Amino acid sequence: MAISLQLLFLPISFLLMISLIRFSQAAGIATYWGQTTAEGSLVDTCRKGTYDYVNIAFLINYGGGQTPQLNIAGHSLNSSEIETCQGLGIKVFLSLGGAANLSSSDDAQQVASYIWNEFLGGNESDSRPLGNAVLDGVDFHIQAGKADYLADLVQALSKYNTPERKLVYLSAAPECFIPDYFLDAAIKTGHFDYVWVEFFDNPPCEYTPGNTSALFDSWDRWASYPGINTLFLGVPADPAVSPSGGYIPPQVLIDEVLPFVQNYSNYGGVMVWDQRNF
């Protein structure tokens, strides 16, 4: 019975924490959708009223002459679902995952053109994977492959914006150690609107039970890092999501961590990794 109550307490506590984040200063909440069956449909996630940003995870096999593939773990997804989320005021991004394999600056330009025409505001494709829906932006969740030319890809995507209109929002999810091997050069371009740093599964820069020092030191470094505009605190939804550590109990997050990070002028909110049923 005690174990069952503990398992029940996790989602309840997390919902309470999310509610308090929602009412905290300058707090947006981001998450990823598409890699677990328990999370339900994209609309299910959006209708919870919890999130401001949802990253569709993941587009893989891009660059190096590969055929890009939208891998959403067996989920179905259509344009009406995306438009429903956007109608609720949620920004929906396409997240680039898997192994980066860009071979040149020209290759990066070609990948940017592909993403623009297949998922964003371009009109040069008659085979858009998600129909006529126009996603709000592109997220970079790169933890494998090569770091080469990712900065070129970011710059190429940013060029679709105009002084009059923001057509492509850009976000990144680096790991918390500095510099991030894959995304450092891309972050330093200054083109990312949001950077949700993953402060977990990395003991040198994450919370450990009873000790916030490594986390706070890392946050302080990221807050002043070149190219950072709006900074998010990336946290795991529960301990099982981050087997190498970094889970922050809701009460610690509410009483200690959020008051600290909210003191920074570029604090933007919290990114929740793997919301599952929450």
Side-chain angles (χ1 to χ4, degrees):
M1 179 64 69
I3 293 176
S4 297
L5 286 174
Q6 287 174 353
L7 292 174
L8 178 63
F9 180 72
L10 276 173
I12 292 175
S13 297
F14 199 80
L15 284 172
L16 173 61
M17 179 184 70
I18 289 290
S19 298
L20 292 171
I21 294 170
R22 170 63 60 203
F23 289 104
S24 68
Q25 180 182 359
I29 304 178
T31 195
Y32 286 78
W33 174 89
Q35 292 297 300
T36 65
T37 56
E39 64 199 345
S41 69
L42 179 66
V43 169
D44 290 336
T45 295
C46 292
R47 284 181 173 160
K48 294 178 192 292
T50 300
Y51 304 109
D52 303 284
Y53 312 89
V54 175
N55 298 296
I56 297 174
F58 292 106
L59 183 73
I60 61 174
N61 298 343
Y62 48 88
Q66 301 178 99
T67 301
Q69 177 187 352
L70 183 63
N71 177 3
I72 52 175
H75 284 287
S76 62
L77 181 61
N78 57 52
S79 60
S80 64
E81 292 184 76
I82 294 166
E83 290 164 353
T84 295
C85 292
Q86 292 170 326
L88 294 170
I90 297 168
K91 287 184 172 63
V92 183
F93 293 178
L94 175 69
S95 184
L96 307 184
N101 191 37
L102 298 171
S103 59
S104 66
S105 181
D106 287 343
D107 192 21
Q109 296 284 342
Q110 292 173 18
V111 172
S113 178
Y114 171 85
I115 294 171
W116 171 253
N117 286 298
E118 299 291 336
F119 296 99
L120 301 173
N123 56 12
E124 297 180 8
S125 173
D126 56 5
S127 60
R128 292 170 64 93
L130 300 177
N132 293 326
V134 176
L135 298 181
D136 296 288
V138 181
D139 174 68
F140 285 65
H141 189 276
I142 313 296
Q143 297 183 352
K146 301 185 300 184
D148 301 341
Y149 306 108
L150 287 171
D152 296 79
L153 178 55
V154 170
Q155 290 172 327
L157 288 167
S158 72
K159 289 179 180 177
Y160 290 108
N161 293 317
T162 70
E164 295 77 26
R165 190 177 178 191
K166 186 82 167 181
L167 298 174
V168 183
Y169 287 89
L170 295 170
S171 64
E175 297 189 40
C176 56
F177 52 79
I178 294 175
D180 183 272
Y181 176 76
F182 296 101
L183 293 172
D184 188 60
I187 289 169
K188 286 178 177 175
T189 66
H191 290 307
F192 285 119
D193 300 283
Y194 315 105
V195 175
W196 17 77
V197 178
E198 297 184 350
F199 291 98
F200 51 90
D201 284 336
N202 285 291
C205 49
E206 68 186 19
Y207 171 81
T208 55
N211 190 344
T212 59
S213 296
L215 171 63
F216 286 179
D217 288 346
S218 182
W219 175 272
D220 186 69
R221 292 184 66 197
W222 275 107
S224 59
Y225 200 69
I228 296 292
N229 292 306
T230 303
L231 185 63
F232 279 62
L233 178 78
V235 298
D238 66 62
V241 176
S242 54
S244 297
Y247 172 71
I248 306 173
Q251 205 61 48
V252 175
L253 186 64
I254 294 163
D255 292 344
E256 300 180 45
V257 177
L258 286 181
F260 177 83
V261 298
Q262 287 170 358
N263 283 326
Y264 289 74
S265 61
N266 56 355
Y267 165 73
V270 175
M271 183 276 283
V272 181
W273 179 252
D274 188 359
Q275 93 286 359
R276 287 187 272 181
N277 286 319
F278 302 125

PDB file of all heavy atoms in Angstrom, residues 61-62 66 97-103 141-150 175 180-183:
ATOM      1  N   ASN A  61      17.235  11.617 -39.129  1.00  0.00           N
ATOM      2  CA  ASN A  61      17.808  11.284 -40.445  1.00  0.00           C
ATOM      3  C   ASN A  61      17.842  12.489 -41.392  1.00  0.00           C
ATOM      4  O   ASN A  61      17.466  12.365 -42.562  1.00  0.00           O
ATOM      5  CB  ASN A  61      17.044  10.133 -41.107  1.00  0.00           C
ATOM      6  CG  ASN A  61      17.098   8.848 -40.312  1.00  0.00           C
ATOM      7  OD1 ASN A  61      17.948   8.694 -39.436  1.00  0.00           O
ATOM      8  ND2 ASN A  61      16.198   7.933 -40.601  1.00  0.00           N
ATOM      9  N   TYR A  62      18.307  13.613 -40.916  1.00  0.00           N
ATOM     10  CA  TYR A  62      18.402  14.802 -41.761  1.00  0.00           C
ATOM     11  C   TYR A  62      19.871  15.100 -42.022  1.00  0.00           C
ATOM     12  O   TYR A  62      20.729  14.904 -41.174  1.00  0.00           O
ATOM     13  CB  TYR A  62      17.726  16.005 -41.091  1.00  0.00           C
ATOM     14  CG  TYR A  62      18.148  16.182 -39.665  1.00  0.00           C
ATOM     15  CD1 TYR A  62      19.271  16.943 -39.338  1.00  0.00           C
ATOM     16  CD2 TYR A  62      17.467  15.541 -38.637  1.00  0.00           C
ATOM     17  CE1 TYR A  62      19.682  17.072 -38.039  1.00  0.00           C
ATOM     18  CE2 TYR A  62      17.877  15.662 -37.332  1.00  0.00           C
ATOM     19  CZ  TYR A  62      18.988  16.420 -37.033  1.00  0.00           C
ATOM     20  OH  TYR A  62      19.413  16.526 -35.733  1.00  0.00           O
ATOM     21  N   GLN A  66      20.585  11.925 -46.398  1.00  0.00           N
ATOM     22  CA  GLN A  66      19.575  11.009 -45.856  1.00  0.00           C
ATOM     23  C   GLN A  66      18.161  11.500 -46.177  1.00  0.00           C
ATOM     24  O   GLN A  66      17.952  12.674 -46.470  1.00  0.00           O
ATOM     25  CB  GLN A  66      19.718  10.909 -44.335  1.00  0.00           C
ATOM     26  CG  GLN A  66      21.062  10.414 -43.854  1.00  0.00           C
ATOM     27  CD  GLN A  66      21.126  10.408 -42.336  1.00  0.00           C
ATOM     28  OE1 GLN A  66      20.951   9.390 -41.688  1.00  0.00           O
ATOM     29  NE2 GLN A  66      21.375  11.579 -41.762  1.00  0.00           N
ATOM     30  N   GLY A  97      15.957  15.576 -33.558  1.00  0.00           N
ATOM     31  CA  GLY A  97      16.611  14.665 -32.638  1.00  0.00           C
ATOM     32  C   GLY A  97      17.521  13.709 -33.387  1.00  0.00           C
ATOM     33  O   GLY A  97      17.937  13.977 -34.516  1.00  0.00           O
ATOM     34  N   GLY A  98      17.807  12.591 -32.760  1.00  0.00           N
ATOM     35  CA  GLY A  98      18.678  11.627 -33.407  1.00  0.00           C
ATOM     36  C   GLY A  98      20.093  12.146 -33.556  1.00  0.00           C
ATOM     37  O   GLY A  98      20.550  13.016 -32.816  1.00  0.00           O
ATOM     38  N   ALA A  99      20.790  11.612 -34.559  1.00  0.00           N
ATOM     39  CA  ALA A  99      22.191  11.970 -34.785  1.00  0.00           C
ATOM     40  C   ALA A  99      22.288  13.020 -35.882  1.00  0.00           C
ATOM     41  O   ALA A  99      21.846  12.800 -37.005  1.00  0.00           O
ATOM     42  CB  ALA A  99      22.990  10.730 -35.167  1.00  0.00           C
ATOM     43  N   ALA A 100      22.862  14.162 -35.552  1.00  0.00           N
ATOM     44  CA  ALA A 100      23.074  15.210 -36.551  1.00  0.00           C
ATOM     45  C   ALA A 100      24.138  14.746 -37.548  1.00  0.00           C
ATOM     46  O   ALA A 100      25.157  14.174 -37.159  1.00  0.00           O
ATOM     47  CB  ALA A 100      23.513  16.501 -35.875  1.00  0.00           C
ATOM     48  N   ASN A 101      23.902  15.015 -38.832  1.00  0.00           N
ATOM     49  CA  ASN A 101      24.827  14.494 -39.852  1.00  0.00           C
ATOM     50  C   ASN A 101      24.986  15.484 -41.001  1.00  0.00           C
ATOM     51  O   ASN A 101      25.002  15.091 -42.169  1.00  0.00           O
ATOM     52  CB  ASN A 101      24.319  13.149 -40.375  1.00  0.00           C
ATOM     53  CG  ASN A 101      25.361  12.435 -41.226  1.00  0.00           C
ATOM     54  OD1 ASN A 101      26.548  12.492 -40.943  1.00  0.00           O
ATOM     55  ND2 ASN A 101      24.911  11.770 -42.276  1.00  0.00           N
ATOM     56  N   LEU A 102      25.094  16.762 -40.683  1.00  0.00           N
ATOM     57  CA  LEU A 102      25.253  17.761 -41.733  1.00  0.00           C
ATOM     58  C   LEU A 102      26.680  17.702 -42.285  1.00  0.00           C
ATOM     59  O   LEU A 102      27.649  17.638 -41.531  1.00  0.00           O
ATOM     60  CB  LEU A 102      24.955  19.151 -41.176  1.00  0.00           C
ATOM     61  CG  LEU A 102      23.528  19.363 -40.654  1.00  0.00           C
ATOM     62  CD1 LEU A 102      23.420  20.686 -39.929  1.00  0.00           C
ATOM     63  CD2 LEU A 102      22.519  19.279 -41.790  1.00  0.00           C
ATOM     64  N   SER A 103      26.781  17.743 -43.605  1.00  0.00           N
ATOM     65  CA  SER A 103      28.091  17.543 -44.233  1.00  0.00           C
ATOM     66  C   SER A 103      28.751  18.829 -44.702  1.00  0.00           C
ATOM     67  O   SER A 103      29.947  18.836 -45.006  1.00  0.00           O
ATOM     68  CB  SER A 103      27.943  16.590 -45.425  1.00  0.00           C
ATOM     69  OG  SER A 103      27.032  17.124 -46.380  1.00  0.00           O
ATOM     70  N   HIS A 141      17.284  19.309 -30.346  1.00  0.00           N
ATOM     71  CA  HIS A 141      17.545  18.391 -29.237  1.00  0.00           C
ATOM     72  C   HIS A 141      18.566  17.369 -29.743  1.00  0.00           C
ATOM     73  O   HIS A 141      18.253  16.227 -30.037  1.00  0.00           O
ATOM     74  CB  HIS A 141      16.249  17.714 -28.787  1.00  0.00           C
ATOM     75  CG  HIS A 141      16.389  16.923 -27.522  1.00  0.00           C
ATOM     76  ND1 HIS A 141      16.849  15.627 -27.495  1.00  0.00           N
ATOM     77  CD2 HIS A 141      16.140  17.251 -26.236  1.00  0.00           C
ATOM     78  CE1 HIS A 141      16.866  15.179 -26.263  1.00  0.00           C
ATOM     79  NE2 HIS A 141      16.442  16.156 -25.471  1.00  0.00           N
ATOM     80  N   ILE A 142      19.818  17.806 -29.858  1.00  0.00           N
ATOM     81  CA  ILE A 142      20.863  17.029 -30.508  1.00  0.00           C
ATOM     82  C   ILE A 142      21.823  16.482 -29.461  1.00  0.00           C
ATOM     83  O   ILE A 142      22.470  17.246 -28.747  1.00  0.00           O
ATOM     84  CB  ILE A 142      21.661  17.891 -31.511  1.00  0.00           C
ATOM     85  CG1 ILE A 142      20.721  18.702 -32.411  1.00  0.00           C
ATOM     86  CG2 ILE A 142      22.610  17.020 -32.317  1.00  0.00           C
ATOM     87  CD1 ILE A 142      19.842  17.882 -33.298  1.00  0.00           C
ATOM     88  N   GLN A 143      21.907  15.165 -29.376  1.00  0.00           N
ATOM     89  CA  GLN A 143      22.810  14.540 -28.411  1.00  0.00           C
ATOM     90  C   GLN A 143      23.624  13.412 -29.032  1.00  0.00           C
ATOM     91  O   GLN A 143      24.166  12.555 -28.318  1.00  0.00           O
ATOM     92  CB  GLN A 143      22.019  14.031 -27.205  1.00  0.00           C
ATOM     93  CG  GLN A 143      21.324  15.148 -26.439  1.00  0.00           C
ATOM     94  CD  GLN A 143      20.596  14.682 -25.205  1.00  0.00           C
ATOM     95  OE1 GLN A 143      20.465  13.486 -24.951  1.00  0.00           O
ATOM     96  NE2 GLN A 143      20.107  15.627 -24.412  1.00  0.00           N
ATOM     97  N   ALA A 144      23.706  13.396 -30.358  1.00  0.00           N
ATOM     98  CA  ALA A 144      24.490  12.368 -31.042  1.00  0.00           C
ATOM     99  C   ALA A 144      24.861  12.879 -32.429  1.00  0.00           C
ATOM    100  O   ALA A 144      24.328  13.879 -32.901  1.00  0.00           O
ATOM    101  CB  ALA A 144      23.697  11.060 -31.142  1.00  0.00           C
ATOM    102  N   GLY A 145      25.787  12.173 -33.069  1.00  0.00           N
ATOM    103  CA  GLY A 145      26.189  12.547 -34.415  1.00  0.00           C
ATOM    104  C   GLY A 145      27.335  13.531 -34.415  1.00  0.00           C
ATOM    105  O   GLY A 145      28.281  13.413 -33.631  1.00  0.00           O
ATOM    106  N   LYS A 146      27.233  14.537 -35.289  1.00  0.00           N
ATOM    107  CA  LYS A 146      28.295  15.528 -35.451  1.00  0.00           C
ATOM    108  C   LYS A 146      27.780  16.929 -35.121  1.00  0.00           C
ATOM    109  O   LYS A 146      26.633  17.260 -35.422  1.00  0.00           O
ATOM    110  CB  LYS A 146      28.811  15.498 -36.894  1.00  0.00           C
ATOM    111  CG  LYS A 146      29.379  14.155 -37.342  1.00  0.00           C
ATOM    112  CD  LYS A 146      29.977  14.244 -38.731  1.00  0.00           C
ATOM    113  CE  LYS A 146      28.981  14.662 -39.787  1.00  0.00           C
ATOM    114  NZ  LYS A 146      29.531  14.659 -41.153  1.00  0.00           N
ATOM    115  N   ALA A 147      28.654  17.725 -34.542  1.00  0.00           N
ATOM    116  CA  ALA A 147      28.294  19.113 -34.224  1.00  0.00           C
ATOM    117  C   ALA A 147      28.439  20.034 -35.430  1.00  0.00           C
ATOM    118  O   ALA A 147      27.908  21.147 -35.425  1.00  0.00           O
ATOM    119  CB  ALA A 147      29.157  19.627 -33.079  1.00  0.00           C
ATOM    120  N   ASP A 148      29.122  19.568 -36.460  1.00  0.00           N
ATOM    121  CA  ASP A 148      29.444  20.412 -37.604  1.00  0.00           C
ATOM    122  C   ASP A 148      28.197  20.985 -38.278  1.00  0.00           C
ATOM    123  O   ASP A 148      27.223  20.269 -38.506  1.00  0.00           O
ATOM    124  CB  ASP A 148      30.232  19.614 -38.649  1.00  0.00           C
ATOM    125  CG  ASP A 148      31.531  19.048 -38.099  1.00  0.00           C
ATOM    126  OD1 ASP A 148      31.989  19.551 -37.060  1.00  0.00           O
ATOM    127  OD2 ASP A 148      32.063  18.098 -38.704  1.00  0.00           O
ATOM    128  N   TYR A 149      28.252  22.271 -38.562  1.00  0.00           N
ATOM    129  CA  TYR A 149      27.288  22.997 -39.390  1.00  0.00           C
ATOM    130  C   TYR A 149      25.900  23.163 -38.762  1.00  0.00           C
ATOM    131  O   TYR A 149      24.984  23.645 -39.432  1.00  0.00           O
ATOM    132  CB  TYR A 149      27.150  22.325 -40.774  1.00  0.00           C
ATOM    133  CG  TYR A 149      28.477  22.163 -41.463  1.00  0.00           C
ATOM    134  CD1 TYR A 149      29.068  20.900 -41.592  1.00  0.00           C
ATOM    135  CD2 TYR A 149      29.175  23.268 -41.940  1.00  0.00           C
ATOM    136  CE1 TYR A 149      30.308  20.750 -42.194  1.00  0.00           C
ATOM    137  CE2 TYR A 149      30.420  23.128 -42.545  1.00  0.00           C
ATOM    138  CZ  TYR A 149      30.976  21.864 -42.663  1.00  0.00           C
ATOM    139  OH  TYR A 149      32.210  21.714 -43.265  1.00  0.00           O
ATOM    140  N   LEU A 150      25.753  22.807 -37.480  1.00  0.00           N
ATOM    141  CA  LEU A 150      24.468  23.077 -36.831  1.00  0.00           C
ATOM    142  C   LEU A 150      24.231  24.578 -36.696  1.00  0.00           C
ATOM    143  O   LEU A 150      23.091  25.045 -36.810  1.00  0.00           O
ATOM    144  CB  LEU A 150      24.408  22.387 -35.468  1.00  0.00           C
ATOM    145  CG  LEU A 150      24.238  20.866 -35.513  1.00  0.00           C
ATOM    146  CD1 LEU A 150      24.414  20.263 -34.131  1.00  0.00           C
ATOM    147  CD2 LEU A 150      22.863  20.499 -36.085  1.00  0.00           C
ATOM    148  N   GLU A 175      22.533  19.959 -22.904  1.00  0.00           N
ATOM    149  CA  GLU A 175      22.777  19.416 -21.575  1.00  0.00           C
ATOM    150  C   GLU A 175      23.429  20.507 -20.725  1.00  0.00           C
ATOM    151  O   GLU A 175      23.908  21.514 -21.245  1.00  0.00           O
ATOM    152  CB  GLU A 175      23.649  18.175 -21.678  1.00  0.00           C
ATOM    153  CG  GLU A 175      22.950  17.064 -22.467  1.00  0.00           C
ATOM    154  CD  GLU A 175      23.700  15.745 -22.413  1.00  0.00           C
ATOM    155  OE1 GLU A 175      24.225  15.406 -21.342  1.00  0.00           O
ATOM    156  OE2 GLU A 175      23.766  15.066 -23.451  1.00  0.00           O
ATOM    157  N   ASP A 180      28.142  22.816 -24.289  1.00  0.00           N
ATOM    158  CA  ASP A 180      27.458  21.656 -24.845  1.00  0.00           C
ATOM    159  C   ASP A 180      28.174  21.268 -26.138  1.00  0.00           C
ATOM    160  O   ASP A 180      28.373  22.100 -27.028  1.00  0.00           O
ATOM    161  CB  ASP A 180      26.000  21.998 -25.130  1.00  0.00           C
ATOM    162  CG  ASP A 180      25.234  20.790 -25.655  1.00  0.00           C
ATOM    163  OD1 ASP A 180      25.235  20.583 -26.894  1.00  0.00           O
ATOM    164  OD2 ASP A 180      24.656  20.050 -24.839  1.00  0.00           O
ATOM    165  N   TYR A 181      28.545  20.005 -26.251  1.00  0.00           N
ATOM    166  CA  TYR A 181      29.375  19.565 -27.372  1.00  0.00           C
ATOM    167  C   TYR A 181      28.710  19.837 -28.720  1.00  0.00           C
ATOM    168  O   TYR A 181      29.361  20.298 -29.666  1.00  0.00           O
ATOM    169  CB  TYR A 181      29.690  18.076 -27.245  1.00  0.00           C
ATOM    170  CG  TYR A 181      30.460  17.531 -28.435  1.00  0.00           C
ATOM    171  CD1 TYR A 181      31.821  17.789 -28.575  1.00  0.00           C
ATOM    172  CD2 TYR A 181      29.805  16.809 -29.421  1.00  0.00           C
ATOM    173  CE1 TYR A 181      32.525  17.317 -29.678  1.00  0.00           C
ATOM    174  CE2 TYR A 181      30.500  16.329 -30.528  1.00  0.00           C
ATOM    175  CZ  TYR A 181      31.856  16.582 -30.655  1.00  0.00           C
ATOM    176  OH  TYR A 181      32.536  16.124 -31.755  1.00  0.00           O
ATOM    177  N   PHE A 182      27.424  19.563 -28.823  1.00  0.00           N
ATOM    178  CA  PHE A 182      26.747  19.656 -30.118  1.00  0.00           C
ATOM    179  C   PHE A 182      26.211  21.050 -30.420  1.00  0.00           C
ATOM    180  O   PHE A 182      26.207  21.488 -31.567  1.00  0.00           O
ATOM    181  CB  PHE A 182      25.597  18.633 -30.190  1.00  0.00           C
ATOM    182  CG  PHE A 182      26.064  17.216 -30.127  1.00  0.00           C
ATOM    183  CD1 PHE A 182      25.981  16.499 -28.947  1.00  0.00           C
ATOM    184  CD2 PHE A 182      26.612  16.601 -31.234  1.00  0.00           C
ATOM    185  CE1 PHE A 182      26.428  15.188 -28.879  1.00  0.00           C
ATOM    186  CE2 PHE A 182      27.065  15.291 -31.187  1.00  0.00           C
ATOM    187  CZ  PHE A 182      26.978  14.584 -29.995  1.00  0.00           C
ATOM    188  N   LEU A 183      25.759  21.765 -29.403  1.00  0.00           N
ATOM    189  CA  LEU A 183      24.985  22.980 -29.661  1.00  0.00           C
ATOM    190  C   LEU A 183      25.711  24.272 -29.313  1.00  0.00           C
ATOM    191  O   LEU A 183      25.150  25.354 -29.500  1.00  0.00           O
ATOM    192  CB  LEU A 183      23.660  22.914 -28.888  1.00  0.00           C
ATOM    193  CG  LEU A 183      22.690  21.839 -29.370  1.00  0.00           C
ATOM    194  CD1 LEU A 183      21.493  21.733 -28.424  1.00  0.00           C
ATOM    195  CD2 LEU A 183      22.201  22.150 -30.785  1.00  0.00           C
TER     196      LEU A 183
END
